[in-house]
Amino acid sequence: MSHQSTIKRITAPEIAARKGGEPIVVLTSYHAQSAALVDPHVDILMVGDSLGMVMHGLETTVPVPLDLMIAHAQAVVRGSERALVVVDMPFGSYEESPAMAFRNAARVMKETGCGAVKLEGGVQMAETIAFLTARGIPVMAHIGMTPQAVNQLGGFAARGRRQAEWARFEKDAQAVAEAGAFAMVIEAVAEGLAARITQEVPIPTIGIGASPECDGQVLVLEDMLGLSPRVPKFVKEYAELRTAVEGAVKAYARDVRARAFPAEEHTYSTLEEVPEALKRFKMSVS
């Protein structure tokens, strides 16, 4: 969108102020075209490192490099003008130290124009979150099932299915809130646990496979549009675009092979042919 637009973007403090209010609508976006379509209807556009799996065919989010996140985030910012753009910090770009996290997060914000970054982890990342927020970088936290830790966790299984495990996740939520995160994603945890955390913390919770009691919800755009071949249990497919796209491609291939496309209306005439074409047009309407 034009940089001269008068539309004011939603900010991280505005999202933080939505705690307990109107639910916050969040969808992922990885390029300018989808951002432009989604932007008028959501509060946050999440440039998730899930783009590695959705857009680049990776098995997990772990291999996604920082440069790739920046390139996609730049496109999303260019394609949108209203929603807060939050960019995932990819694995290996923030865990080593708060100073390292700041250098990379500052680069993301400077090179993309996004409004905040997101990083995974609870108690162990509280110091880093406090370091970033004290230096002007809004941080969204991410607790529960953390995809970047898939190799340590042994898979993408839901977390907190036993109440005896709840205390650790509650501590994670309290730690990131106290450290200054303006909101937190809670992914793939027991519904009761997500609802309880939402009641306990003073910042908005954004659920994905969590609870309707969360302060907002997020889904991967391609999942909810029915474009993904497989989706987690927590996804509701609001369309079946995979079938529609396959049908359109088959129809296109059929027309090309039958030489039915391109037709005359899809081709350009020479300049010498234009007067004759105009003459035929005038005769047809007289």
Side-chain angles (χ1 to χ4, degrees), residues 170-285:
E170 291 178 89
K171 289 179 181 177
D172 282 340
Q174 292 162 358
V176 299
E178 292 172 2
F182 71 90
M184 72 179 76
V185 168
I186 305 177
E187 180 168 0
V189 303
E191 191 279 331
L193 172 59
R196 184 162 165 174
I197 289 173
T198 299
Q199 294 173 354
E200 292 175 343
V201 298
I203 62 175
T205 58
I206 309 297
I208 178 167
S211 169
E213 297 301 314
C214 289
D215 298 294
Q217 301 293 330
V218 58
L219 284 176
V220 171
L221 179 64
E222 286 74 7
D223 288 352
M224 59 87 69
L225 289 178
L227 286 168
S228 302
R230 298 182 305 277
V231 297
K233 173 186 177 180
F234 55 72
V235 173
K236 178 179 179 179
E237 294 182 304
Y238 285 82
E240 295 182 3
L241 297 191
R242 184 179 179 88
T243 300
V245 169
E246 289 178 343
V249 171
K250 287 179 181 178
Y252 165 70
R254 183 174 61 248
D255 281 358
V256 169
R257 292 180 179 123
R259 297 192 181 278
F261 176 83
E264 183 178 357
E265 63 267 28
H266 307 121
T267 61
Y268 298 96
S269 60
T270 64
L271 293 177
E272 290 78 7
E273 294 175 296
V274 170
E276 184 61 30
L278 287 173
K279 184 187 298 183
R280 290 197 301 271
F281 173 75
K282 290 177 180 178
M283 292 176 62
S284 68
V285 297

Side-chain angles (χ1 to χ4, degrees), residues 2-284:
S2 169
H3 66 279
Q4 297 178 337
S5 173
T6 58
I7 296 176
K8 182 179 179 296
R9 277 198 189 272
I10 296 170
T11 65
E14 289 172 335
I15 294 297
R18 298 268 293 272
K19 176 68 180 180
E22 181 183 10
I24 300 162
V25 182
V26 189
L27 281 173
T28 63
S29 180
Y30 309 130
H31 50 77
Q33 188 177 46
S34 68
L37 290 171
V38 172
D39 182 58
H41 310 289
V42 302
D43 303 302
I44 298 174
L45 285 168
M46 185 82 70
V47 187
D49 57 1
S50 50
L51 64 84
M53 302 170 72
V54 176
M55 302 292 291
H56 297 276
L58 298 174
E59 290 295 321
T60 72
T61 63
V62 173
V64 175
L66 185 62
D67 286 344
L68 189 63
M69 293 302 305
I70 289 173
H72 281 277
Q74 288 170 335
V76 171
V77 171
R78 286 194 295 265
S80 62
E81 57 181 352
R82 174 185 171 276
L84 171 67
V85 177
V86 179
V87 181
D88 271 5
M89 298 297 294
F91 180 70
S93 69
Y94 62 92
E95 297 91 339
E96 182 178 324
S97 68
M100 175 198 193
F102 176 78
R103 285 193 299 273
N104 287 327
R107 182 186 167 203
V108 168
M109 296 198 70
K110 289 173 69 173
E111 294 186 19
T112 70
C114 71
V117 299
K118 180 170 75 66
L119 53 83
E120 297 181 8
V123 171
Q124 75 275 26
M125 295 311 303
E127 179 185 359
T128 294
I129 292 171
F131 191 90
L132 296 182
T133 57
R135 288 159 179 79
I137 296 179
V139 177
M140 177 181 284
H142 184 146
I143 66 169
M145 201 283 286
T146 48
Q148 291 176 10
V150 62
N151 292 313
Q152 183 182 39
L153 298 175
F156 292 105
R159 312 285 287 163
R161 299 293 296 274
R162 292 182 172 83
Q163 290 193 9
E165 303 170 341
W166 285 17
R168 59 170 293 196
F169 295 107
E170 291 178 89
K171 289 179 181 177
D172 282 340
Q174 292 162 358
V176 299
E178 292 172 2
F182 71 90
M184 72 179 76
V185 168
I186 305 177
E187 180 168 0
V189 303
E191 191 279 331
L193 172 59
R196 184 162 165 174
I197 289 173
T198 299
Q199 294 173 354
E200 292 175 343
V201 298
I203 62 175
T205 58
I206 309 297
I208 178 167
S211 169
E213 297 301 314
C214 289
D215 298 294
Q217 301 293 330
V218 58
L219 284 176
V220 171
L221 179 64
E222 286 74 7
D223 288 352
M224 59 87 69
L225 289 178
L227 286 168
S228 302
R230 298 182 305 277
V231 297
K233 173 186 177 180
F234 55 72
V235 173
K236 178 179 179 179
E237 294 182 304
Y238 285 82
E240 295 182 3
L241 297 191
R242 184 179 179 88
T243 300
V245 169
E246 289 178 343
V249 171
K250 287 179 181 178
Y252 165 70
R254 183 174 61 248
D255 281 358
V256 169
R257 292 180 179 123
R259 297 192 181 278
F261 176 83
E264 183 178 357
E265 63 267 28
H266 307 121
T267 61
Y268 298 96
S269 60
T270 64
L271 293 177
E272 290 78 7
E273 294 175 296
V274 170
E276 184 61 30
L278 287 173
K279 184 187 298 183
R280 290 197 301 271
F281 173 75
K282 290 177 180 178
M283 292 176 62
S284 68

